[in-house]
Amino acid sequence: LFNCKRRLNPFNTLMKIGVTGCAGRMGRMLVREVLLADGCTIAGGTEEPGHTAIGQDVAETAGLEACGLEITDDSDALFAASDAVIDFTIAPVTESHTRLSVKHVTNLVLGTTGHEGYQLDTIEAAAKHIPIVKAMNFSVGVNVLFALTKQLAGMLDEDFDIEIVEMHHRDKVDAPSGTALELAEAAASGRGVNLKHVADRGRDGITGRRKNGNIGLAALRGGDVVGEHDVVFAGASERIKLSHIATSREIFSKGALRAALWSEGMAPGLYDMLDVLGVSSQHT
Ligand code: NAD
């Protein structure tokens, strides 16, 4: 059944892409990206019911000339009209969006972070029916950082303490960032340990001595920082630091659009950005 909407319409060469949360910081960039790219067209955009952007033109909200499509709160219609939907919204709506993806056989690119375990289960269940590309970070550079972190963690033993430090803008609502958690996963996987047993989050007060082999996570918030991640390997008298600094959200919107275009014709499954880039997964 997958991608049958496209197969039924072989003369339509433009992939129709919908954007949920299209008036958000990422949503506006995604709409721009879709409208300015070759090979695709905007299917529409949705916002949270009651949002002030509802009724406005999707393209105008993204700073472009009007395209004649109004922003609505009708997610069902958006998924029905799209070959793929790009979702950078909030974790609580993922469950209904994955359900709509399955209902309308619409590919899903999921950039939203901050999911609880039960929400991740619904994503995995939906991926049995449709292709979902889910990435904590859609930038090419960060995905290379995942691979390097795993490699370095495998080379350095527990004499090197691993600490992951991230900084984001003051409006970010979840901590640590999804990317920081993915970096911790990559480090744990490089060391062949389960992150659940070694993650050291939110130190405060009398914490006691650092436990050997733990992977520490710290989050800083402030200003308009797009996203900075450091992976520190601290040994005796020496320290290795891998750093990634994002200076524009464009790296995420470009990566997400690349993922949406890549997803066309793919079999159902849960994919990540390393699959899109053709690099073997950090988890293998
Ligand atoms: P934002 O708050 O600016 O935008 C989120 C938008 O979603 C808002 O406009 C909100 O009104 C809308 N929304 C909420 N409920 C909705 C619903 N039911 N239907 C439609 N729209 C709804 O936030 P942002 O900075 O754009 O980030 C959004 C998400 O993307 C966050 O989880 C963030 O962590 C994540 N993010 C991921 C990446 C990545 O590469 N994976 C990069 C940047 C941000």
Side-chain angles (χ1 to χ4, degrees), residues 139-194:
S139 102
V140 173
V142 162
N143 282 279
V144 170
L145 184 66
F146 289 146
L148 290 176
T149 298
K150 179 181 174 182
Q151 201 181 352
L152 212 49
M155 290 165 77
L156 300 170
D157 64 18
E158 291 185 358
D159 287 344
F160 281 80
D161 299 321
I162 303 178
E163 292 284 310
I164 294 161
V165 186
E166 55 102 340
M167 180 159 189
H168 283 86
H169 54 90
R170 59 164 71 99
D171 296 322
K172 185 161 174 64
V173 295
D174 54 315
S177 71
T179 303
L181 287 170
E182 195 91 1
L183 285 167
E185 283 284 2
S189 138
R191 283 207 166 150
V193 295
N194 185 333

Side-chain angles (χ1 to χ4, degrees), residues 21 24-26 47 51 88-89 93 111 113 135-138 172:
R25 277 177 294 254
M26 282 305 303
E47 257 304 337
H51 196 284
F88 282 64
T89 55
V93 300
T113 63
M136 294 295 189
N137 192 308
F138 276 94
K172 185 161 174 64

Side-chain angles (χ1 to χ4, degrees), residues 225-249:
V225 175
V226 173
E228 299 186 2
H229 293 88
D230 286 344
V231 185
V232 183
F233 296 82
S237 313
E238 60 182 341
R239 210 155 70 230
I240 299 175
K241 197 194 270 186
L242 300 175
S243 281
H244 180 272
I245 297 174
T247 53
S248 162
R249 284 192 175 77

